[in-house]
């Protein structure tokens, strides 16, 4: 295809109620004009990122762009079924029992780490089992509404709590992107080059790290509660995939875009909003086989405290309208991640449903959201 570019207007999945900031649309349109780019799709949670939009998928031919994936390769959602009974769902007690899980895993976890990730070593291995900053979280949830019981996972238990873990490859993904940008800038890589093969090997290692990290976070939390659990689903939403769309072979980049070609997926709201379990419909190629990965930011991080601090104390933001508890001892992060800083998740779900992309399966509300027990920074 050479450097041929599809410069037609990008597809944006939205309805009349969807609010998307102009800067995000501009970033999407700019990205659509990159050499080798064939198709671009913005999700209803689209928002501006660092040069490239978040909540979008990009399909290129013969060439791919690691910068579009970003620094958190493999970031995604793992959804667990626990055996914690609903009637014992006391947020304050669960929070006290959990304590904080920001420190590296101790030596007793080494056999489990080696089992999940035999090649784990170096500084990045110390981040395994930790959530990180930005919009990452782990959240105990309770079923609120079941729309399609026939589509629920086999191991689903409506009488017990579920656990949703949102995290990625931590410093490993950051290091991979930094090294790539230092060498190649934002020009991307030709698919048949040695440098492309080297990046893809690093990318795969980051995906494996991210999956192991989410599993270790969940197992660490369940151990604190003396509980057991099983994985219902685990899905990346920041990654690169070689695939065929519309009869053309190419590279599908997802940046904050949940795959619509791997079965059931979770679409969470903010810590003070619902999360939805959905089943993608049969044909989502026009949306690049992708869905929203969450509610999407409404405000930039730097403006959140100024908008909210005169109305809400940090302590008041640690309890939501649902009565759920938020563990976040970082005073900057508590404002940056306030529910008010995010779009209403129902508007995102309606836009996806109106576009014929999903079937609703179940809705969940938060019981306990863990961000950080101490001070943390960084951005997902």
């Amino acid at each position: 295809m050479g450097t041929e570019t599809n410069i037609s207007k990008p597809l944006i999945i939205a309805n009349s109620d969807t609010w998307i900031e102009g800067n995000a649309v501009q970033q999407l349109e700019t990205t659509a004009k990159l050499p080798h780019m064939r198709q671009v799709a913005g999700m209803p949670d689209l928002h501006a990122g660092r040069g490239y939009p978040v909540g979008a998928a990009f399909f290129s031919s013969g060439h791919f762009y690691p910068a579009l994936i970003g620094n958190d390769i493999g970031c995604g959602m793992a959804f667990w079924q626990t055996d914690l009974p609903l009637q014992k769902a006391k947020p304050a007690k669960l929070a006290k029992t959990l304590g904080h899980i920001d420190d590296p895993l101790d030596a007793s976890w080494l056999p489990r780490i080696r089992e999940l990730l035999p090649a784990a070593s170096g500084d990045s291995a110390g981040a395994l089992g930790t959530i990180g900053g930005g919009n990452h979280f782990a959240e105990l949830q309770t079923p609120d509404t079941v729309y399609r019981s026939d589509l629920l996972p086999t191991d689903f238990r409506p009488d017990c709590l579920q656990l949703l873990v949102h995290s990625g490859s931590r410093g490993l993904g950051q290091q991979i992107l930094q090294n790539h940008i230092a060498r190649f800038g934002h020009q991307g890589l030709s698919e048949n080059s040695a440098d492309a093969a080297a990046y893809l090997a690093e990318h795969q290692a980051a995906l494996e790290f991210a999956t192991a990290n989410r599993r270790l976070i969940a197992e660490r939390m369940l151990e604190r509660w003396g509980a057991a659990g099983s994985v219902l689903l685990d899905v990346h939403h920041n990654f690169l995939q070689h695939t065929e769309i519309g009869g053309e072979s190419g590279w599908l980049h997802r940046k904050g875009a949940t795959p619509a070609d791997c079965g059931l997926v979770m679409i969470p709201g903010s810590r003070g909003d619902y999360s939805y379990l959905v089943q993608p419909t049969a044909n989502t190629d026009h949306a690049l086989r992708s869905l929203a990965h969450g509610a999407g930011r409404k405000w930039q991080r730097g403006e959140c405290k100024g908008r909210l601090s005169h109305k809400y104390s940090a302590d008041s933001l640690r309890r939501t309208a649902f009565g759920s508890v938020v563990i976040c001892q970082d005073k900057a992060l508590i404002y940056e991640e306030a529910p008010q800083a995010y779009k209403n998740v129902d508007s995102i779900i309606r836009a996806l449903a109106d576009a014929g992309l999903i079937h609703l399966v179940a809705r969940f509300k938060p019981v306990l959201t863990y961000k950080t027990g101490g001070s943390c920074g960084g951005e997902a």
Side-chain angles (χ1 to χ4, degrees), residues 208-239:
E208 294 169 3
F209 186 103
T211 299
N213 186 43
R214 287 190 289 272
R215 187 169 191 106
L216 288 165
I217 290 168
E219 292 181 358
R220 183 181 199 178
M221 297 176 81
L222 291 170
E223 182 187 65
R224 294 279 179 93
W225 290 315
S230 60
V231 184
L232 299 180
L233 62 91
D234 190 306
V235 181
H236 305 298
H237 55 231
N238 286 3
F239 69 108

Side-chain angles (χ1 to χ4, degrees), residues 139-141 271-274 320 322 324 364-369:
E139 184 171 275
L140 278 175
Q141 301 179 338
R271 66 186 187 227
D273 207 346
Y274 295 107
T320 76
F322 289 111
S324 62
F364 301 83
K365 61 182 181 181
V367 173
L368 173 69
T369 307

Side-chain angles (χ1 to χ4, degrees), residues 14-356:
N15 61 19
S16 59
D17 296 326
T18 308
W19 179 85
I20 297 175
E21 63 178 309
N23 191 30
V25 175
Q26 185 177 41
Q27 287 186 347
L28 192 71
E29 291 174 345
T30 299
T31 306
K33 297 175 184 178
L34 287 172
H36 315 279
M37 195 61 66
R38 307 298 296 143
Q39 189 177 345
V40 169
M43 303 300 120
D45 61 332
L46 185 73
H47 57 283
R50 295 173 177 174
Y52 305 106
V54 181
F58 320 89
F59 186 65
S60 63
S61 179
H63 198 92
F64 61 78
Y65 295 88
L68 290 183
I69 304 303
N71 65 319
D72 198 6
I73 303 164
C75 185
M77 304 281 177
F79 191 51
W80 284 62
Q81 178 62 61
T82 83
D83 63 358
L84 290 164
L86 291 185
Q87 63 265 30
K88 295 185 179 179
K90 309 296 183 186
K93 184 176 181 180
L94 288 165
K96 184 177 180 181
T97 304
L98 179 63
H100 79 86
I101 55 169
D102 300 336
D103 293 336
L105 292 167
D106 62 35
S108 69
W109 285 88
L110 285 176
R112 182 60 173 148
I113 291 173
R114 293 194 182 104
E115 182 182 358
L116 292 173
L117 209 63
S121 63
D123 293 339
S124 62
L128 283 166
T130 63
I131 292 170
N135 63 353
H136 294 156
F137 65 87
E139 184 171 275
L140 278 175
Q141 301 179 338
T142 181
D144 175 76
T145 305
V146 173
Y147 304 100
R148 291 283 302 271
S149 59
D150 60 310
L151 295 179
L152 288 169
T154 303
D155 294 337
F156 183 79
R157 293 182 57 183
D159 60 330
C160 291
L161 296 175
Q162 288 73 41
L163 176 63
L164 182 62
V165 178
H166 174 209
S167 192
S169 55
R170 306 289 276 110
L172 177 61
Q174 176 73 29
Q175 180 184 8
I176 291 170
L177 180 66
Q178 285 180 340
N179 291 344
H180 170 80
I181 296 296
R183 292 188 63 195
F184 304 103
H186 293 258
Q187 65 188 13
L189 298 168
S190 176
E191 66 179 7
N192 294 320
S193 66
D195 291 319
Y199 173 81
L200 290 172
E202 292 181 322
H203 173 273
Q204 181 60 34
L207 294 184
E208 294 169 3
F209 186 103
T211 299
N213 186 43
R214 287 190 289 272
R215 187 169 191 106
L216 288 165
I217 290 168
E219 292 181 358
R220 183 181 199 178
M221 297 176 81
L222 291 170
E223 182 187 65
R224 294 279 179 93
W225 290 315
S230 60
V231 184
L232 299 180
L233 62 91
D234 190 306
V235 181
H236 305 298
H237 55 231
N238 286 3
F239 69 108
L240 182 67
Q241 177 185 13
H242 189 261
T243 189
E244 184 177 295
I245 294 179
E248 183 174 12
S249 179
W251 296 93
L252 179 55
H253 311 64
R254 291 186 177 99
K255 173 60 173 173
T258 297
D261 55 3
C262 62
L264 291 169
V265 293
M266 283 292 292
I267 301 178
S270 69
R271 66 186 187 227
D273 207 346
Y274 295 107
S275 295
Y276 284 85
L277 180 66
V278 304
Q279 173 67 56
T281 55
N283 185 4
T284 58
D285 279 12
H286 64 292
L288 293 178
R289 299 176 194 157
S290 299
L291 304 171
H293 79 310
R297 292 198 69 89
K298 187 170 61 177
W299 300 338
Q300 296 295 320
R301 293 182 179 277
E303 61 185 275
C304 293
K305 188 172 183 179
R307 284 176 173 267
L308 295 171
S309 59
H310 65 289
K311 296 180 181 179
Y312 305 97
S313 68
D315 282 342
S316 70
L317 292 174
R318 295 188 178 102
R319 177 77 67 167
T320 76
F322 289 111
S324 62
V325 167
V326 179
I327 300 175
C328 183
Q329 299 306 320
D330 183 324
K331 289 185 178 180
L333 194 64
I334 196 77
Y335 286 106
E336 291 172 7
E337 289 294 300
Q340 295 87 342
Y342 283 82
K343 302 176 190 179
N344 180 284
V345 73
D346 285 345
S347 69
I348 306 300
I349 296 299
R350 281 194 300 271
L352 293 172
D354 289 350

